[in-house]
Amino acid sequence: MHALHKLLLFHLLTSLGRDALGGKIINGKLAPIDSMQYMVSLQNSEGHVCGGFLIREDFVLTAAHCNNDLTHVILGTHDLSRVADGNKRFIEKIYAHPSYVNVGLGKDIMLLKLSEKVQLDNNVQTIQLPTSKMNIGDNEKCYVTGWGMKRSRGPTVDELRVVDVLTVNKHVCDKKWDLGLPENVICAGGYNTTKGPCQGDSGGPLVCNGKAVGIVSFNMGFCDYPDFPNVYTDISKYLPWINYILKRNNR
């Protein structure tokens, strides 16, 4: 993609963090209490910023554009209005991908090292990542979870929501995004449907076949579907980098 096109794309699209698109799942439903215990709320002094997900007792995976003065995470609860002291962990170190510049240029991925390990139990669990050989087919049924808006420009809510989305053929996605897309992304939801993530859902996982295969990155404008597919960072393409950071932090 030409540099000018990438610059135009960056100005036209909207990432799904709180200050950009951040909000709630569109046309989703409340997540069952006994499910998706890997979900994490990334927060700063003002509250919820983005979603994330636990991949090790001391590491959260999320989107690089969510790096907005983050201080701590909340885990082990679906309701952000009911947080106990044990649900909070401070962020010790932030590892944004070293080549990340903006969402339009891709590599929108980040690891957060927690100040202390969490105890895995019925309320807190990790989620598996894909293998490097995992291929996501067209029209595959997946789901997205988050604490973002329930409708475009609407109010945010405290309870975790989930919505099912279908993956979109990469050629179709490229055609709809006629300015071009960054490398190593997956398209799902938004296009030809009224379902998908919105503001505040950035950094959350796209889950297919029980594995977190993508990270909510951006869509076009506000959450007025069904014009453009939503775009996710393809986790499988960044496994060497993820494993390198995790290995450096074994203890």
Side-chain angles (χ1 to χ4, degrees):
M1 194 195 316
H2 295 302
L4 177 59
H5 276 189
K6 288 190 175 183
L7 183 62
L8 288 171
L9 175 62
F10 175 63
H11 285 296
L12 283 172
L13 57 81
T14 307
S15 55
L16 296 165
R18 189 191 62 191
D19 293 334
L21 245 197
K24 303 280 174 182
I25 292 290
I26 303 295
N27 287 329
K29 60 183 180 181
L30 290 176
I33 296 299
D34 58 350
S35 68
M36 302 156 200
Q37 294 97 334
Y38 48 79
M39 284 299 297
V40 175
S41 168
L42 278 52
Q43 303 202 354
N44 59 21
S45 60
E46 297 180 9
H48 176 76
V49 176
C50 279
F53 45 105
L54 195 68
I55 62 169
R56 201 173 81 176
E57 292 96 326
D58 55 347
F59 265 94
V60 171
L61 190 58
T62 185
H65 79 260
C66 291
N67 192 2
N68 183 13
D69 298 323
L70 299 175
T71 56
H72 63 280
V73 304
I74 299 297
L75 33 66
T77 181
H78 283 9
D79 189 346
L80 297 183
S81 69
R82 303 174 64 183
V83 176
D85 290 341
N87 299 126
K88 183 176 180 178
R89 290 291 185 281
F90 288 100
I91 297 170
E92 180 178 294
K93 192 168 180 61
I94 294 175
Y95 295 93
H97 192 279
S99 298
Y100 173 77
V101 177
N102 59 55
V103 293
L105 295 174
K107 301 177 178 62
D108 189 13
I109 186 169
M110 179 169 68
L111 283 161
L112 304 178
K113 173 75 162 59
L114 303 182
S115 58
E116 59 180 302
K117 291 184 177 182
V118 298
Q119 179 68 44
L120 301 183
D121 54 27
N122 290 336
N123 295 317
V124 180
Q125 293 290 324
T126 58
I127 186 170
Q128 267 191 300
L129 299 184
T131 64
S132 58
K133 297 180 180 179
M134 186 173 182
N135 292 317
I136 305 300
D138 301 337
N139 295 311
E140 191 163 332
K141 188 174 181 179
C142 306
Y143 63 86
V144 189
T145 46
W147 286 277
M149 296 176 184
K150 291 196 292 184
R151 66 178 184 275
S152 185
R153 304 174 182 86
T156 60
V157 297
D158 291 321
E159 294 177 290
L160 185 68
R161 302 185 74 84
V162 59
V163 65
D164 58 284
V165 294
L166 296 178
T167 56
V168 178
N169 179 277
K170 189 63 163 55
H171 295 297
V172 172
C173 194
D174 280 332
K175 187 175 180 181
K176 294 300 294 183
W177 286 89
D178 57 359
L179 290 176
L181 289 172
E183 295 180 342
N184 303 331
V185 296
I186 298 171
C187 298
Y191 172 64
N192 249 0
T193 180
T194 58
K195 295 180 178 182
C198 192
Q199 282 180 305
D201 293 322
S202 270
L206 174 69
V207 179
C208 306
N209 300 316
K211 296 182 178 182
V213 302
I215 302 171
V216 179
S217 185
F218 64 85
N219 71 6
M220 180 69 80
F222 284 86
C223 314
D224 297 324
Y225 302 140
D227 297 330
F228 291 87
N230 298 313
V231 181
Y232 304 77
T233 302
D234 185 346
I235 295 173
S236 69
K237 302 300 191 295
Y238 297 95
L239 291 175
W241 175 74
I242 293 170
N243 291 330
Y244 171 72
I245 299 298
L246 295 182
K247 188 175 181 180
R248 280 179 54 189
N249 287 273
N250 275 328
R251 64 182 186 184

